Amino acid sequence: MRFFHLSDLHIGLRLMNRDLREDQAYILRQITEIAGRERPDAIVIAGDLYDRAVPSAEAVEVFDRFIEELTETLPEAAVMAVSGNHDSGSRIDCFRSVLSRQGLYMVGRPPQTEEEPMAKVVLPDAFGSVNFYLLPFVKPSMVRAVVGTDEKGNSLSYDETVRRLIGREQIDRTRRNVLVSHQFYLPSGRNAEEMERMDSEIRTVGNIDEVSADILEQFDYAALGHIHKPMKAGGERWRYCGTPLACSVSEAGQQKEIVMVDMGEKGDVRISAIPLRPLRQVRVIRGTLEEVLREACGDYVTVILTDRADLNILDMQDRVRKAFPRLLEIRRETLRQTDYSSPIRGKAALDPFALCCSFLKDPDETEKEILRDVINTVREVRES
């Protein structure tokens, strides 16, 4: 059994107000061409198909074209996709039962009742069959009726919620099992603050959304979404494939890829990365104005100017924009010393939770919990 692992397409994303539709269509066509060459039996997309819960008509058209070309190229392959935190689960679920009869499994919502199991697709091969468990992004409040509450009647933690959802399935470990999931899985023994995160990712205050990755041990492979950089979630067989296209300047120079998985008999899992080549790179170019101008290109560029002498602002901006037609921003490095008299320094100055705590003057734990909930709710509404 061979399958492609993709995630976080974020179709409809604008990079600092730059429309990426052409770039996204290009990279999706490249994925289709690679699929035609490698002939996978299945393609799994682990969430965040779109960048917004209500995508634009243009974004829907890009995704529609991708699926059309993919199914034309691989008419016998199964295509499986779950919703991510940026998606609307109910919209992804639309026509779910009809599409599944065509080999297209779009799963937007987790189980809604105690009787409803997790979505599962079973694909046969020469060694028997492979079970694909499809778990969309889930918040504890979404599945209270399914997994229950704590002793005080409150929603469970993200970790306990995911454990109970997976635990209901009574997975047969003698068979080959794959999980497709969009959550923040934290490797055992790791601190969430130690993990490198991209600027394009939504992060919760206090990392309340973390789920211990040891729950993945029962699967032969875990195709994960949510983290935008390719990385392992504590083991070779539990992986984030990352975005197929850079979604922020923090991803400049990052190699994007398709993760290809070949499964033989039970225990035989071979994983390889197929590099993707974007239509245009996201770059950070640093130097004096004259040095920067010598690197003129059509990529998406953040320019950091190091000139110590004053520059004619209007002339500088005109020259830089002419050299870089897809300029994202211009920054200036200065010799001015940072004022460290403020009690909030460094990254904390950008952290709304730390900022609010400093104004509240030593809030207690109850007040901090309320504050975290408010900030996380505002972030979810802003990104929807």
Side-chain angles (χ1 to χ4, degrees):
M1 174 78 61
R2 167 174 287 181
F3 62 90
F4 278 6
H5 169 197
L6 306 168
S7 78
D8 296 272
L9 307 183
H10 284 280
I11 299 172
L13 173 80
R14 297 182 71 87
L15 179 60
M16 290 191 181
N17 214 34
R18 289 285 181 181
D19 188 347
L20 297 181
R21 187 176 10 164
E22 184 183 10
D23 301 82
Q24 291 181 322
Y26 178 89
I27 209 72
L28 293 175
R29 283 195 301 271
Q30 188 176 140
I31 290 170
T32 301
E33 290 168 3
I34 295 171
R37 183 178 72 236
E38 299 293 344
R39 312 302 298 179
D41 302 292
I43 293 92
V44 300
I45 309 173
D48 281 353
L49 312 182
Y50 298 108
D51 193 57
R52 299 287 177 183
V54 184
S56 67
E58 293 80 7
V60 174
E61 183 181 349
V62 170
F63 184 66
D64 177 69
R65 186 62 180 163
F66 173 52
I67 296 299
E68 179 183 358
E69 292 179 350
L70 201 56
T71 53
E72 286 177 352
T73 302
L74 299 171
E76 302 301 319
V79 179
M80 295 169 261
V82 300
S83 64
N85 57 303
H86 280 254
D87 298 312
S88 164
S90 58
R91 284 183 170 84
I92 300 300
D93 254 349
C94 192
F95 306 118
R96 174 171 162 179
S97 60
V98 175
L99 293 173
S100 66
R101 293 197 289 271
Q102 309 301 318
L104 176 58
Y105 304 89
M106 303 284 289
V107 180
R109 293 185 297 177
Q112 301 296 293
T113 66
E114 291 185 13
E115 296 75 27
E116 182 184 358
M118 191 187 303
K120 182 171 77 169
V121 176
V122 181
L123 298 181
D125 69 0
F127 299 99
S129 60
V130 179
N131 301 319
F132 289 84
Y133 290 89
L134 310 181
L135 180 61
F137 174 72
V138 60
K139 293 192 294 185
S141 59
M142 293 177 177
V143 290
R144 285 170 61 111
V146 179
V147 299
T149 60
D150 64 16
E151 62 277 5
K152 296 181 180 179
N154 299 318
S155 293
L156 302 171
S157 67
Y158 276 77
D159 183 85
E160 184 60 25
T161 295
V162 173
R163 287 181 184 279
R164 291 194 184 187
L165 281 174
I166 293 175
R168 297 164 70 242
E169 299 305 313
Q170 299 180 340
I171 295 168
D172 183 352
R173 295 200 185 194
T174 66
R175 296 182 178 274
R176 293 169 297 164
N177 301 296
V178 175
L179 176 68
V180 183
S181 177
H182 189 96
Q183 299 285 158
F184 177 32
Y185 289 97
L186 185 66
S188 299
R190 291 283 300 277
N191 186 307
E193 299 300 332
E194 299 172 353
M195 293 186 65
E196 183 182 7
R197 305 288 297 274
M198 301 297 103
D199 292 343
S200 52
E201 298 172 24
I202 295 178
R203 283 169 277 190
T204 60
V205 175
N207 295 300
I208 62 170
D209 59 341
E210 66 181 56
V211 178
S212 178
D214 61 6
I215 190 66
L216 305 175
E217 293 177 1
Q218 57 198 299
F219 296 98
D220 296 86
Y221 184 81
L224 307 178
H226 193 48
I227 302 299
H228 289 183
K229 177 182 179 180
M231 63 176 288
K232 302 168 189 174
E236 289 289 331
R237 297 176 289 107
W238 316 319
R239 295 197 177 214
Y240 290 100
C241 63
T243 58
L245 198 67
C247 295
S248 65
V249 176
S250 64
E251 296 163 64
Q254 193 178 102
Q255 177 63 64
K256 299 299 185 178
E257 61 189 36
I258 299 169
V259 175
M260 185 169 70
V261 182
D262 286 288
M263 302 187 77
E265 58 187 345
K266 179 72 174 181
D268 178 16
V269 181
R270 288 153 287 154
I271 301 166
S272 53
I274 303 174
L276 292 169
R277 307 296 180 193
L279 179 62
R280 305 175 185 95
Q281 297 284 351
V282 174
R283 300 176 60 194
V284 177
I285 299 178
R286 181 179 181 276
T288 65
L289 177 59
E290 297 306 322
E291 290 170 340
V292 165
L293 293 176
R294 287 198 290 270
E295 297 194 46
C297 66
D299 292 330
Y300 296 106
V301 174
T302 284
V303 167
I304 303 177
L305 295 175
T306 60
D307 298 81
R308 300 192 178 193
D310 288 337
L311 296 171
N312 182 311
I313 299 298
L314 293 179
D315 176 66
M316 175 269 291
Q317 291 180 341
D318 286 344
R319 295 175 69 188
V320 171
R321 289 194 177 102
K322 184 177 180 180
F324 304 103
R326 293 179 181 82
L327 179 71
L328 298 176
E329 60 179 338
I330 303 172
R331 302 179 193 171
R332 288 290 305 273
E333 282 188 352
T334 68
L335 297 178
R336 187 176 299 169
Q337 295 298 313
T338 304
D339 178 11
Y340 289 104
S341 60
S342 169
I344 305 173
R345 303 177 183 175
K347 290 185 179 179
L350 304 176
D351 184 346
F353 178 71
L355 189 61
C356 290
C357 285
S358 71
F359 283 111
L360 290 174
K361 303 298 183 185
D362 300 321
D364 59 29
E365 287 305 314
T366 300
E367 292 171 328
K368 287 182 179 179
E369 188 59 36
I370 293 172
L371 183 59
R372 289 190 185 98
D373 184 60
V374 169
I375 294 173
N376 288 330
T377 300
V378 169
R379 281 177 170 170
E380 289 173 3
V381 170
R382 185 184 65 188
E383 295 296 332
S384 65

